[in-house]
Amino acid sequence: MIATADLPQVLVIDDEMGPRESLRMLLKPAYTVHTADSVEKGLELLTQKKPDAIVIDIRMPGTTGIEGLRKIRQIDPHLSVIMLTGFGALDTAKEALRLGANDYISKPFDAREMREVISRNVERTRIHRTTENAAGEIKELNHRLLEELAQKERLASLGQASAEFVHDIGNPLTIVWGYVQLLAKKLEDSEKNGESPKPPGSNKELEIIEQNVRLCRDLLTMWQSYGSGEAAPHRLISISEIVREVVRSVEGMARPVTLSCDVTGDPCQLMGEAVQVTRALQNVMINAIQASTENHGTVTVGCIRKDFYVDVRVVDTGHGIAPDKIAKIFDPYFTTKQGKSGTGLGLYITKKVIEDHNGSIKVESTPEVGTTFTIRLPLANN
Ligand SMILES: Nc1ncnc2c1ncn2[C@@H]1O[C@H](COP(=O)(O)OP(=O)(O)OP(=O)(O)O)[C@@H](O)[C@H]1O
Ligand SMILES: [Mg+2]
């Protein structure tokens, strides 16, 4: 047994009690029937009850059925409206259909035909409403998914950036660690030899420690401002100076590799970010040292000024790169140092930084002979 509340609802608008009540009796078992004796009362019931179909008499005193149809359409454009027409008034029925009625029934009506017409029109309204709801739900779902996607994208790029920054904080910290050890040994030796507690040269090492701690701090500041949309301002920086500083700072971790450098006296200035260029050069130099450690090789850093650009070359006599690997070395997470703390982000970051400075990075390598990285950066206009 279906509960009354679940039955489809039909609204009957007719000024004559006879047809109104006979419709109610006829439809009652299968529908919840509401009745009104005027268009005005019918419209009130329409907004209150939200019926699934309306049966409305065309000819009524006051507001006519045709006028009523127009008003119904304004309230609910998709609700099925069935016109009740007088016997033989086919022209009026046609006119109503042209104006947007969905069906018509001629008086006096046949009970079976009436039920059929009501049933198919109730069905039409319901299908329409279901489709409309589904469309609304799809739109809502789509909106939610787009929002979720945007959030995931933000998180993914933040995750990627975090991994890069964490990676680069490792380099200066390794350098600091190397120098702290060196310093500790020097102090120990000088104490053993009965020298003064501050041996000559220890100032330089302390300076490098300080520089690299500062780099850690700058990298962290960069991480904190990441995602704010504000790019760090580009300033006039000297590539020769940065190359000298990076060489000086990796010296401590170079042994047993012989590290040498030849840097032009020209400042080689360009507009850029010193922190970024520092991290890029550190990555290339540390890779060269790591590749040359096993065979106690050499790493030579050159900084040569050309007319409009500067070339920074890092040449090593290390193990080289296999031809089938060379195309992959700039890919994120490509590493041959598994188990040796390599993340494979170093060269990926470096390439990005160099390209952000409108430069290029090239590699040439022969296995068992060595590798040369050339970083070319355009200089600022004089
Ligand atoms: N100078 C080099 N000589 C030989 N192979 C190199 C040299 N530089 C880079 N490679 C190769 O390129 C790979 C990728 O280098 P990249 O700096 O991106 O990552 P990584 O050094 O492996 O890891 P991480 O930089 O995180 O410590 C290295 O694993 C190594 O195989
Ligand atoms: Mg590396």
Side-chain angles (χ1 to χ4, degrees), residues 167 287 291 316 319-321 329 334-337 342-344 346-347 371:
H167 169 271
N287 279 347
D316 70 62
H319 55 62
I321 306 166
I329 61 168
F334 174 80
T335 181
T336 53
K337 299 172 193 165
T343 62
L347 287 180
T371 307

Side-chain angles (χ1 to χ4, degrees), residues 215 218-219 222 232-239 241-243 245-246 270-281 353 357:
L215 182 59
D218 291 347
L219 286 169
M222 241 160 66
H234 278 203
R235 299 177 206 285
L236 204 59
I237 57 172
S238 159
I239 298 300
E241 202 180 303
I242 294 175
V243 171
E245 270 175 18
V246 176
L270 53 85
M271 293 300 287
E273 255 190 279
V275 176
Q276 300 277 19
V277 177
T278 303
R279 71 202 283 234
L281 293 177
V353 168
H357 287 75

